[in-house]
Amino acid sequence: LSNGKLEQLMHIHPNLVVVNRFIERFEDRCVYIDNSVGAQQAAQHLIDNGHTNVAMITGPRSKLGEVEIRTNEFVKVFEAQGIEIPTELIVEGDFTYEGGLRSFKKLLSSHLSFTAVFAQNDSMAMGIFTACKEKGLRVPEDISIVGYDNHYHFGRHMHSNLTTIHQPIEEVGRRAAQLMNGLISRESTAQFPSNYGRLIPELVERDTVALLKSPQRINNNELINNLSSREIECLTWIAAGKTSGEIAIILSISESTVNYHLKNILLKLNASNRAQAVAIAVSAGAITL
C-alpha cells in the first residue's frame, strides 16, 4: 500500500499500528527497523575491510520503502568515499534463494570486477553461496558476502557463517503489541519514549568478509598479498602461456570463473593487462617463469 492509503486507514482506524513502515504523520503508531542504518553498516564494513569494488543484489524494486532505502544508503556511503558503484553491478533480486543464485550469475557475466557482494536478505546470500560453489569460487577468499536479516538458519548453518545485518524482529513484534494494547485500552501513546517505534539493526560480523589491504599500496609484495591462492594459480598458468580455456581444464573450473579471477587479479595488482600482472608477480617472487 502507498503511504497515502495507509494514512487513510490510520485515520479511519484509530487503533491501527503499522509494522515495518514509517508514516511521518503517524510516527507514534509505527514500529519499524531503520534500514538506512543497516545499509550504511554493511557498506562501511566492506570499506573498512578494503573492498572498493563491490556489487549489490537488491530486493524487488516494487517493494516500497525498504529496498529503495537499503539501495540508496549503501551507494551513498561509497560515494562519500569517492567510490562509484557501476549500475551493472547493482542487480535486482526477489528476496529468494533462487533469485540470489540467478542474480549472482548475472553479476559474474558482466565485464566488471568485484570482490564483495551485498545481498539485501539472507535468502539471496544463500543463493550466492551455491553459485560460488558451482563456479569454483571460495567465500571469502574469492568473494566476500554480506547479508541482511540474520536469519537463524542461513546465518549459522552454512559452511561459512554469514556476516549479516541483524534485524530485531522479536522486538518489533513486542513493541507493536505494546502500542496496540495502549491504544485499545485508550491510553495515550505519549507514555512511550520518543521514537519508541524505531529500532536500530546491528552488524553481525562472522566469516564471509575477507580483509584486503588498503588501496594505498606501496610495493609489489604487498600487492601480491591481496591475491587468493586460486588467483595465484591462474596467474602462474598465464605466465606459463596457457589460455583461459586451458587453465579451466587444468583447474577443473569453468572458463568464466577463470576470467573472473583474472579480472580480479588486474584490479588487485593495479595492472593494465595480464603481462603486467605477471611481471608484478615475478618481481615479488610469487611466481617464476
Side-chain angles (χ1 to χ4, degrees), residues 4-100:
K5 181 62 176 177
L6 284 174
E7 287 183 13
Q8 291 177 20
L9 291 173
M10 296 183 88
H11 275 298
I12 297 170
H13 303 286
N15 295 342
L16 178 64
V17 172
V18 174
V19 171
N20 206 31
R21 288 283 289 280
F22 173 75
I23 310 298
E24 189 171 356
R25 295 175 58 190
F26 297 92
E27 181 176 354
D28 60 340
R29 290 162 58 193
C30 296
V31 183
Y32 64 98
I33 296 170
D34 194 329
N35 281 286
S36 62
V37 175
Q40 291 163 7
Q41 290 174 341
Q44 193 60 54
H45 183 64
L46 290 174
I47 291 172
D48 290 344
N49 281 277
H51 295 273
T52 56
N53 292 77
V54 302
M56 173 167 48
I57 300 177
T58 75
R61 296 298 178 93
S62 59
K63 291 276 285 185
L64 295 175
E66 60 185 296
V67 171
E68 180 182 5
I69 292 171
R70 291 179 192 180
T71 301
N72 293 342
E73 292 300 321
F74 185 81
V75 169
K76 284 180 183 177
V77 172
F78 280 90
E79 288 179 341
Q81 300 289 327
I83 302 166
E84 181 180 355
I85 302 177
T87 55
E88 298 95 322
L89 293 183
I90 300 177
V91 175
E92 182 177 359
D94 59 6
F95 280 158
T96 68
Y97 164 85
E98 293 79 10

Side-chain angles (χ1 to χ4, degrees), residues 66-285:
E66 60 185 296
V67 171
E68 180 182 5
I69 292 171
R70 291 179 192 180
T71 301
N72 293 342
E73 292 300 321
F74 185 81
V75 169
K76 284 180 183 177
V77 172
F78 280 90
E79 288 179 341
Q81 300 289 327
I83 302 166
E84 181 180 355
I85 302 177
T87 55
E88 298 95 322
L89 293 183
I90 300 177
V91 175
E92 182 177 359
D94 59 6
F95 280 158
T96 68
Y97 164 85
E98 293 79 10
L101 186 67
R102 290 192 302 269
S103 297
F104 185 70
K105 289 180 178 179
K106 183 176 180 180
L107 286 171
L108 288 179
S109 67
S110 74
H111 66 285
L112 298 174
S113 175
F114 56 94
T115 61
V117 183
F118 171 44
Q120 287 191 7
N121 82 339
D122 290 349
S123 297
M124 295 192 298
M126 189 69 168
I128 295 174
F129 267 92
T130 299
C132 285
K133 186 176 181 180
E134 291 178 359
K135 296 292 185 178
L137 299 171
R138 295 163 301 166
V139 179
E141 292 89 348
D142 301 319
I143 285 288
S144 292
I145 304 172
V146 176
Y148 205 108
D149 285 338
N150 196 27
H151 188 287
Y152 180 83
H153 178 72
F154 295 143
R156 296 179 177 87
H157 295 284
M158 293 187 290
H159 4 279
S160 294
N161 288 333
L162 179 65
T163 293
T164 188
I165 304 298
H166 172 69
Q167 296 205 83
I169 301 300
E170 294 83 359
E171 183 64 13
V172 167
R174 188 178 72 86
R175 294 193 185 188
Q178 288 177 332
L179 289 175
M180 188 174 294
N181 279 335
L183 292 167
I184 291 172
S185 61
R186 301 190 183 282
E187 297 177 7
S188 171
T189 55
Q191 65 179 300
F192 297 103
S194 176
N195 284 334
Y196 188 68
R198 175 177 177 260
L199 288 92
I200 304 299
E202 179 182 0
L203 174 74
V204 180
E205 185 175 355
R206 295 195 181 103
D207 306 326
T208 57
V209 175
L211 175 63
L212 303 182
K213 293 288 185 180
S214 164
Q216 303 301 320
R217 304 175 181 93
I218 300 173
N219 57 55
N220 289 342
N221 289 328
E222 291 181 353
L223 285 169
I224 291 298
N225 287 338
N226 281 321
L227 299 184
S228 69
S229 57
R230 179 68 81 184
E231 289 166 345
I232 291 289
E233 285 181 305
C234 290
L235 195 56
T236 299
W237 288 113
I238 287 292
K242 301 297 183 182
T243 65
S244 298
E246 290 170 331
I247 296 173
I249 295 172
I250 294 168
L251 299 181
S252 299
I253 57 179
S254 69
E255 186 173 355
S256 63
T257 300
V258 172
N259 288 327
Y260 168 82
H261 284 307
L262 293 174
K263 285 191 293 184
N264 261 4
I265 288 169
L266 299 185
L267 168 69
K268 293 180 179 180
L269 298 186
N270 292 330
S272 57
N273 53 52
R274 296 177 182 182
Q276 184 181 7
V278 168
I280 292 172
V282 170
S283 67

